[in-house]
Amino acid sequence: IIMTQLDVRTIQPRDRHPMIFNTFDNLQPGESFELVNDHAPQPLYYQFLHERTDLFEWDYVEEGPETWRVRITRTKAKV
């Protein structure tokens, strides 16, 4: 499986979430991407829970202290 890596550490903070959600929305069910960030992505996780309820899986690959990597998988198509 080829997994896209989205490294947002060099992206302006205001542009990060729209880019991440756009990447997620272009996934087919069962596809994933790996998010690379410079801080714990808790606010993003809660935004996913609210805006993409039951559509994703969130798996930490690395949890700091300098780099966080999360595999975000689309579990089903948006209804």
Side-chain angles (χ1 to χ4, degrees):
I1 296 174
I2 297 173
M3 184 170 23
T4 301
Q5 188 178 74
L6 181 61
D7 187 339
V8 297
R9 294 176 290 185
T10 60
I11 306 300
Q12 289 289 331
R14 71 176 178 274
D15 297 330
R16 291 179 180 187
H17 286 203
M19 179 182 290
I20 292 164
F21 278 98
N22 184 57
T23 300
F24 177 81
D25 289 341
N26 284 306
L27 295 176
Q28 295 299 312
E31 293 180 337
S32 304
F33 71 96
E34 184 176 89
L35 173 67
V36 180
N37 207 345
D38 56 8
H39 63 274
Q42 283 307 109
L44 178 68
Y45 175 72
Y46 291 116
Q47 189 175 355
F48 262 90
L49 281 177
H50 180 72
E51 297 182 13
R52 303 296 187 278
T53 308
D54 298 329
L55 297 180
F56 72 99
E57 288 180 358
W58 182 277
D59 300 296
Y60 283 101
V61 177
E62 183 176 352
E63 295 187 67
E66 295 178 13
T67 302
W68 278 260
R69 295 187 307 139
V70 180
R71 183 174 57 249
I72 303 172
T73 304
R74 183 174 199 118
T75 56
K76 58 185 171 184
K78 195 170 184 176
V79 183

